[in-house]
Amino acid sequence: MRTLPINVRLDGRTVLVVGDGEAAHAKLRLLAKTPARLRVVAPDGWAGLGDWRGRVEVTARAFEPADLAGVALVYAATEDAATDSAVAAAARAAGVPVNVVDRPALCDFITPAIVDRDPLSIAICTNGGAPVLGRRLRARIEAWLPQGFGRLVDNAAGFRDRLKAVLPEVADRRRFWDRFFDGAAGDDLLALSDDALGARLERLAQTAAAERDQGKAAGEAGGEV
């Protein structure tokens, strides 16, 4: 892989977008789905901020390296090559990862095409080589992947501690999840209510524990002389 796909936690952290054109708007639309603190620096101050007003801190002037203080990530999206290059250079000097829109050679990180089924997400990255292809693949996956998969992930996450109590061994838990998710491809799990999902999880966990105990008992009996 030319780049390493990772997910970055942005709770309580600041992301800076430099620019006020369509490229900057596109980044803001994506970032607004996260819990990040959002900051914009643009000469015109984003007079048409609209629905983002109150969510985004706006500084109405040209970018300055001091704008990078306390920033976790920065997007250079001015659509002016010289300005974007200057933002990238300042970000690297400050140790802040930078993404320069449409200039992958200047990027420390690349934002992929994203299928959002929160908390499930699927990222498609062409390393900046064919973003249109990435968007087309995203559209195909969007059309195929039901919305309910996010709820399924939430239910599984809520059962993890309970499952550790019933099945302490990692290998047993992996087998359990393989068995549980076998039904997801047929959408039968997606049709269940949260209560029904919880009941199925508990029932399968108890069955797995019983099978494990039976296996241990059979092994011990087989070892007797």
Side-chain angles (χ1 to χ4, degrees):
M1 295 185 294
R2 298 181 186 178
T3 57
L4 178 67
I6 59 173
N7 293 321
V8 180
R9 292 191 181 277
L10 292 175
D11 307 66
R13 306 180 76 188
T14 299
V15 178
L16 172 65
V17 177
V18 182
D20 58 2
E22 178 52 37
H25 280 244
K27 297 307 178 187
L28 256 296
R29 283 193 291 271
L30 175 63
L31 291 166
K33 297 180 180 181
T34 77
R37 297 189 181 109
L38 304 180
R39 186 184 301 165
V40 169
V41 173
D44 294 332
W46 278 50
L49 198 59
D51 293 341
W52 290 314
R53 195 174 302 280
R55 171 76 197 278
V56 182
E57 175 190 340
V58 179
T59 300
R61 57 162 169 74
F63 167 81
E64 298 175 0
D67 294 323
L68 295 164
V71 169
L73 301 172
V74 58
Y75 284 89
T78 69
E79 302 177 60
D80 176 78
T83 303
D84 284 344
S85 295
V87 174
R92 289 207 177 85
V96 179
V98 60
N99 175 282
V100 181
V101 175
D102 290 334
R103 299 187 70 188
L106 294 181
C107 293
D108 293 324
F109 68 94
I110 295 171
T111 303
I114 298 170
V115 178
D116 182 7
R117 296 289 186 270
D118 183 60
L120 171 68
S121 61
I122 299 172
I124 304 152
C125 181
T126 64
N127 286 295
V132 172
L133 175 61
R135 290 195 292 270
R136 291 175 67 88
L137 291 173
R138 177 186 61 191
R140 291 189 183 186
I141 296 173
E142 286 271 8
W144 169 78
L145 191 68
Q147 291 288 341
F149 268 95
R151 188 174 63 89
L152 188 60
V153 173
D154 279 332
N155 278 271
F159 195 70
R160 287 173 64 88
D161 288 342
R162 169 60 180 158
L163 186 63
K164 287 179 182 179
V166 177
L167 298 173
E169 298 296 326
V170 172
D172 291 334
R173 293 200 299 274
R174 286 177 178 167
R175 282 191 291 271
F176 167 87
W177 289 118
D178 281 338
R179 178 180 294 182
F180 176 71
F181 287 120
D182 275 347
D187 292 348
D188 61 316
L189 293 176
L190 302 178
L192 298 178
S193 67
D194 287 345
D195 288 343
L197 274 171
R200 180 176 291 194
L201 283 162
E202 183 65 33
R203 185 168 61 253
L204 285 176
Q206 294 299 331
T207 299
E211 291 174 349
R212 175 205 58 198
D213 293 342
Q214 290 170 3
K216 288 182 177 179
E220 292 170 358
E224 292 179 358
V225 293

